[in-house]
Amino acid sequence: MAVICCIETHSSQKVLNGVSIDRLLILTFTNLAAREMKERIAQIVGQKLANRLWMGTFHSIFYKILRAESEKIGFTSDFTIYDSSDSKSLVKNIIKSLQLDDKVYKVGNILAKISLLKNNLVLPSDYACDTEATKRDYFAKVPAFKDIYSIYCERCKQSNAMDFDDLLLFTKILFYTQPEVLQKYQERFLFILIDEYQDTNYVQHLIVNKLAEGHKRIAVVGDDAQSIYSFRGANIDNILTFQRNYPDCQLFKLEQNYRSTQTIVNAANSLIFKNQNQIRKHVFSENKVGEKLGVIEAYSDFDEAFLVSNQIECLKRKGYDFSDFAVLYRTNSQSRVLEEALRKRNFPYRIYGGVSFYQRKEIKDVLAYFRLAINHCDDESLRRIINYPARGIGKTTLDKVFEMSSLQGCSVFEVVKNPIFYNLKINNGTANKLIAFSEMMEQFSEIIAQKDAFETAKFVLEQSGILADISSDKTVEGQSKRENIEELMNAISEFCDRQMNEGSAEISLSNFLSEVSLLTDMDKDSDENDNKITLMTVHASKGLEFKNVFVVGLEEQLFPSQMCQSTAEVEEERRLLYVAITRAEENCFLSYAKSRFRNGETQFSNPSRFFNDIDAKFLQKLNEKTTFFYQKPEKKVFFGREPQETKDFSRFKSISSLEQTSNSKISNISSSFKVGDRVLHAVFGEGTVVSVEGSEANEKARVNFDSVGEKQLLLKYARLTIIT
């Protein structure tokens, strides 16, 4: 009996009863989620039994299957997994070899299109026969795309390599062309559980349906209201049509939200209710009622960032840690002004999704050595490290090697190993350098077969010259690189220890690389426990939670995106805002700016239409009495010093346009300031005048601001206000 569970839940234990644990297949999208589920199951059945589970990400499970069945699809079992960097390098070289303009044939666009085609099961031969597609390429001035796509796939096959999309594509091909293999896994997996089913794409849907074709024992868990990844191939119809595909299925609506306040849940419900294409649910919370969602109106994106930072400071004084805050935005470009506002207050923050550890150059270099030692056909790894550290093998030589490889239809390593046999047009000295490199790599291969991952990695680092090269660099950057290499060794050591503690014999360097290759962006973040404000896109926030959430930039043409044209696209944007709001546990704030600097100019905009979709009774526009700067704070030690008392400015209408009242004294720009005056600045907040110098147009004041320390300001531009 098929089962569909809507709304995220940790209910995997419900499907265990009556089914042998090693006959279960459990699929999810992140290693983090897989580990969490496995831990929960281990608490029920014990660790030993849990270790028998086939549980992991789609890519990791399909990778495991393809390793076992690789020969049936024309690969060897030691095939390499190309990550995005490897694929990018390969496409760059193909574009160059075809003498195409890389400004027209942009690598990112090419790879995105290849990925889309693979996820829709369009192979190079199919694409070449599609006259409409080739016509569109002609008018788009990229007529050679079909050639790039074809060569890309050929080069991957020649290198005995697959990219991430291939792990899905070849699993589909395997199951649909090899009936005996399909039957083997159909009989193996008597029950299938899939988490986050709303995020599955077309290929994943086909594979899963094929595996469940006979017994139809399948359970999917997901929330159609959180389907936000159509741009990377996710198909919401997979979950919406599940009941139609499995007419006898049971539907369980898991409607209780354990995270957010009642008000936040009710506001999110009123928003998502406006979508027509959905499984209707009524999500509820039994948590406290909580505050209404605060609406922040700002004149500009600069003011918006300033007001958000003010509100953070207000809540911070109520006892929250910096890690309790997240600021979510629609596009990465919005982070700049937010960063500036936080830096001015000395608020620590992190950009979620920056360059991850395994994407740093020195780490990529080391991993390329590992990968080439395991798979000599990995041409992209060879290209990366054949002359690092420098060993006198230049670009001209390398071009000749690759050209001969292409001409002879063999791997690049084979040419490097036998330059004389292939009559490579190079001198004897260069030929000896190539041979020496190949012999070193073959030595590494022998060590891999004899020692565990840690011992192998240590040997490669020493013998390759990488360790000596980095150690010789005494700069700050060199020290940082060395620390990163040391951290990589720590990771390998921990991997070996963990595998042995779990009773696994898979502790080779190959096993470690497989784990690294299958890491997701979320899994790579090692800074999650730092006490910092988190800045991230709404897409990146899915699955996370914070006590206080700010959703900024809620303007037409930004959120929803200006790319939205159809009803389906607007509905996905609405689901995106639903995800953003439901990240909040206690407080949620929605902000918009009347003007924003975009594309090199100031653009004026209207508030997002989504404000009208949220029931007004759950919203509260923050005015002068609710914004931090207009509140009298508690006495509290802040950054190691006693803060100055902030005045109550409830009489002012806004930060950006302070108005004079009968109870205030406001200075004109030309007025003199004296030492000891308490002043207000639109960006830096309150401070005390420390010194004044100069006269008239050149008059300057040094002000010690409560939040950002001392600043020297030219008074004719500073717009300081004396406060009493």
Side-chain angles (χ1 to χ4, degrees):
M1 179 70 70
V3 178
I4 177 171
C5 301
C6 293
I7 305 298
E8 299 172 333
T9 182
H10 299 294
S11 63
S12 55
Q13 64 200 65
K14 294 181 179 181
V15 304
L16 294 176
N17 296 332
V19 182
S20 177
I21 199 159
D22 57 354
R23 310 297 293 277
L24 298 178
L25 173 62
I26 303 178
L27 299 170
T28 187
F29 282 86
T30 68
N31 290 316
L32 184 66
R35 285 196 296 270
E36 184 179 343
M37 293 175 70
K38 194 169 184 177
E39 288 170 2
R40 289 171 179 265
I41 292 173
Q43 292 174 3
I44 301 170
V45 302
Q47 188 63 55
K48 186 176 180 180
L49 213 55
N51 288 338
R52 294 165 53 189
L53 269 171
W54 276 67
M55 173 185 285
T57 64
F58 282 89
H59 290 93
S60 67
I61 293 297
F62 295 166
Y63 165 86
K64 189 174 180 179
I65 292 172
L66 290 173
R67 282 287 192 204
E69 313 293 343
S70 57
E71 293 183 1
K72 295 181 175 63
I73 52 173
F75 288 83
T76 64
S77 62
D78 59 353
F79 65 82
T80 298
I81 301 174
Y82 276 2
D83 63 13
S84 58
S85 176
D86 300 315
S87 296
K88 185 177 180 179
S89 175
L90 178 54
V91 170
K92 276 184 176 179
N93 285 293
I94 293 171
I95 292 171
K96 183 181 178 181
S97 68
L98 295 175
Q99 299 181 332
L100 301 171
D101 187 350
D102 58 6
K103 294 182 176 62
V104 176
Y105 291 87
K106 296 182 178 179
V107 174
N109 294 342
I110 296 293
L111 283 172
K113 190 170 181 178
I114 289 175
S115 179
L116 181 65
L117 291 171
K118 286 185 177 183
N119 285 317
N120 284 280
L121 302 176
V122 181
L123 300 177
S125 56
D126 302 320
Y127 191 83
C129 296
D130 189 337
T131 55
E132 289 299 316
T134 53
K135 189 182 294 183
R136 287 194 296 271
D137 287 344
Y138 175 80
F139 287 113
K141 299 182 179 180
V142 287
F145 169 78
K146 65 179 187 297
D147 300 318
I148 297 172
Y149 184 23
S150 179
I151 295 170
Y152 176 83
C153 293
E154 289 173 3
R155 291 283 297 274
C156 285
K157 188 67 176 294
Q158 183 180 311
S159 296
N160 194 36
M162 297 185 192
D163 61 23
F164 265 40
D165 295 316
D166 286 333
L167 295 177
L168 305 181
L169 175 63
F170 283 112
T171 302
K172 189 271 176 184
I173 291 173
L174 179 70
F175 286 163
Y176 276 72
T177 61
Q178 304 291 328
E180 74 285 354
V181 176
L182 173 63
Q183 184 178 359
K184 170 184 171 182
Y185 290 99
Q186 284 177 332
E187 293 174 354
R188 174 64 186 262
F189 305 129
L190 294 183
F191 203 104
I192 302 170
L193 171 64
I194 305 169
D195 192 24
E196 302 285 5
Y197 195 66
Q198 78 280 349
D199 294 335
T200 54
N201 61 26
Y202 180 55
V203 180
Q204 290 164 331
H205 174 72
L206 289 178
I207 295 171
V208 168
N209 281 349
K210 205 67 174 175
L211 283 171
E213 192 173 54
H215 52 68
K216 298 189 186 304
R217 300 187 190 96
I218 180 172
V220 301
V221 182
D223 185 359
D224 61 288
Q226 298 193 49
S227 179
I228 60 175
Y229 294 126
S230 65
F231 67 94
R232 64 187 194 198
N235 188 349
I236 192 174
D237 287 340
N238 292 347
I239 192 168
L240 293 179
T241 62
F242 189 89
Q243 291 173 275
R244 188 163 67 240
N245 295 332
Y246 297 91
D248 297 328
C249 77
Q250 297 180 38
L251 173 63
F252 299 92
K253 295 184 180 181
L254 308 170
E255 297 176 309
Q256 185 171 357
N257 179 304
Y258 296 93
R259 172 188 300 144
S260 309
T261 64
Q262 295 179 35
T263 300
I264 291 173
V265 169
N266 290 337
N269 281 345
S270 67
L271 170 72
I272 204 65
F273 181 79
K274 304 301 189 299
N275 275 7
Q276 297 302 309
N277 196 25
Q278 63 172 298
I279 299 173
R280 294 289 178 185
K281 304 172 287 291
H282 180 70
V283 183
F284 67 94
S285 172
E286 293 184 351
N287 297 336
K288 64 181 182 181
V289 175
E291 299 292 329
K292 295 181 179 181
L293 278 67
V295 178
I296 300 173
E297 179 188 85
Y299 176 74
S300 67
D301 51 345
F302 186 85
D303 289 333
E304 178 186 45
F306 174 62
L307 293 171
V308 166
S309 66
N310 278 348
Q311 195 66 43
I312 290 174
E313 186 165 345
C314 171
L315 294 170
K316 183 71 171 61
R317 294 186 178 189
K318 293 182 179 181
Y320 290 106
D321 292 326
F322 287 116
S323 58
D324 294 329
F325 296 92
V327 184
L328 312 182
Y329 35 79
R330 183 64 181 82
T331 65
N332 277 306
S333 61
Q334 293 171 251
S335 74
R336 183 183 63 83
V337 290
L338 292 163
E339 290 184 71
E340 288 183 3
L342 296 177
R343 283 199 299 266
K344 285 171 181 174
R345 292 187 178 276
N346 287 328
F347 285 178
Y349 68 90
R350 62 166 182 160
I351 304 290
Y352 193 99
V355 178
S356 64
F357 178 80
Y358 288 102
Q359 295 301 314
R360 295 169 187 170
K361 180 185 179 303
E362 59 273 17
I363 301 301
K364 294 282 289 182
D365 290 338
V366 175
L367 294 182
Y369 268 97
F370 296 167
R371 291 166 58 177
L372 185 62
I374 293 167
N375 176 15
H376 291 169
C377 294
D378 189 342
D379 294 346
E380 293 307 305
S381 290
L382 184 146
R383 184 192 300 272
R384 184 181 187 95
I385 51 91
I386 191 169
N387 200 43
Y388 175 73
R391 48 178 62 92
I393 303 174
K395 183 178 180 298
T396 301
T397 300
L398 195 57
D399 287 344
K400 291 178 180 179
V401 170
F402 271 80
E403 184 179 352
M404 183 60 67
S405 166
S406 179
L407 185 66
Q408 296 294 328
C410 62
S411 72
V412 175
F413 188 85
E414 188 66 23
V415 179
V416 170
K417 184 180 177 181
N418 300 289
I420 299 173
F421 175 82
Y422 286 101
N423 196 28
L424 208 61
K425 304 300 182 185
I426 56 176
N427 60 49
N428 290 336
T430 303
N432 289 333
K433 291 172 183 176
L434 291 176
I435 295 170
F437 175 78
S438 69
E439 289 175 346
M440 178 181 68
M441 296 310 303
E442 289 182 328
Q443 184 185 19
F444 293 166
S445 300
E446 293 174 1
I447 296 297
I448 288 173
Q450 301 169 12
K451 299 182 180 293
D452 64 28
F454 182 83
E455 291 297 324
T456 304
K458 183 180 177 183
F459 184 85
V460 171
L461 281 172
E462 292 173 349
Q463 298 301 315
S464 65
I466 292 178
L467 198 58
D469 181 71
I470 291 177
S471 298
S472 66
D473 187 350
K474 304 302 182 182
T475 65
V476 175
E477 292 77 14
Q479 177 63 26
S480 176
K481 290 179 179 180
R482 183 176 175 87
E483 290 171 355
N484 287 334
I485 296 295
E486 290 172 351
E487 187 57 31
L488 174 64
M489 294 301 293
N490 289 339
I492 297 173
S493 178
E494 291 169 3
F495 165 79
C496 292
D497 290 343
R498 185 176 69 253
Q499 292 292 94
M500 287 188 289
N501 289 338
E502 292 178 357
S504 174
E506 297 180 341
I507 56 174
S508 71
L509 194 59
S510 178
N511 300 131
F512 173 76
L513 282 185
S514 299
E515 182 170 284
V516 170
S517 297
L518 297 165
L519 288 174
T520 64
D521 288 342
M522 188 176 296
D523 301 321
K524 295 173 189 173
D525 185 57
S526 61
D527 203 28
E528 62 184 357
N529 296 319
D530 280 3
N531 189 24
K532 297 178 181 178
I533 298 166
T534 298
L535 307 182
M536 62 171 60
T537 65
V538 181
H539 282 101
S541 75
K542 188 174 176 294
L544 304 178
E545 57 189 39
F546 303 88
K547 290 181 180 178
N548 307 289
V549 170
F550 294 81
V551 188
V552 301
L554 279 165
E555 303 133 31
E556 287 294 305
Q557 305 300 306
L558 182 56
F559 203 165
S561 166
Q562 62 184 351
M563 304 299 292
C564 288
Q565 301 295 327
S566 66
T567 300
E569 290 169 334
V570 172
E571 289 200 347
E572 176 153 335
E573 290 286 296
R574 191 177 284 112
R575 292 194 297 269
L576 190 60
L577 180 55
Y578 175 88
V579 168
I581 292 172
T582 54
R583 298 311 92 197
E585 298 176 5
E586 299 177 12
N587 296 292
C588 183
F589 302 88
L590 311 176
S591 70
Y592 66 95
K594 294 180 180 180
S595 65
R596 185 173 298 275
F597 195 76
R598 300 178 70 187
N599 303 319
E601 62 182 14
T602 298
Q603 299 179 2
F604 294 90
S605 52
N606 295 316
S608 170
R609 71 191 74 179
F610 296 148
F611 280 113
N612 294 326
D613 291 341
I614 302 173
D615 194 322
K617 67 184 179 185
F618 303 123
L619 300 176
Q620 177 180 348
K621 191 170 183 177
L622 296 186
N623 54 28
E624 62 275 10
K625 294 183 180 180
T626 56
T627 303
F628 155 70
F629 210 76
Y630 312 122
Q631 294 184 3
K632 195 167 185 173
E634 305 171 4
K635 284 277 189 176
K636 188 175 181 179
V637 175
F638 203 65
F639 287 119
R641 67 174 184 266
E642 190 78 13
Q644 301 270 353
E645 183 173 294
T646 303
K647 307 295 183 181
D648 184 356
F649 287 97
S650 60
R651 56 189 177 272
F652 297 127
K653 290 184 178 181
S654 70
I655 291 285
S656 58
S657 60
L658 299 175
E659 296 187 358
Q660 191 172 6
T661 71
S662 60
N663 297 322
S664 66
K665 179 179 72 177
I666 301 182
S667 71
N668 296 319
I669 295 173
S670 60
S671 301
S672 297
F673 292 84
K674 10 182 237 297
V675 174
D677 280 348
R678 291 289 292 170
V679 295
L680 172 69
H681 187 273
V683 176
F684 304 136
E686 283 191 51
T688 303
V689 177
V690 176
S691 66
V692 181
E693 60 185 37
S695 59
E696 298 180 352
N698 295 318
E699 189 177 21
K700 300 177 183 177
R702 183 168 293 278
V703 183
N704 184 17
F705 291 101
D706 301 342
S707 299
V708 298
E710 286 195 2
K711 299 285 184 181
Q712 188 173 52
L713 307 172
L714 190 62
L715 292 179
K716 68 178 181 179
Y717 298 123
R719 298 184 181 180
L720 287 176
T721 302
I722 297 176
I723 54 180
T724 59

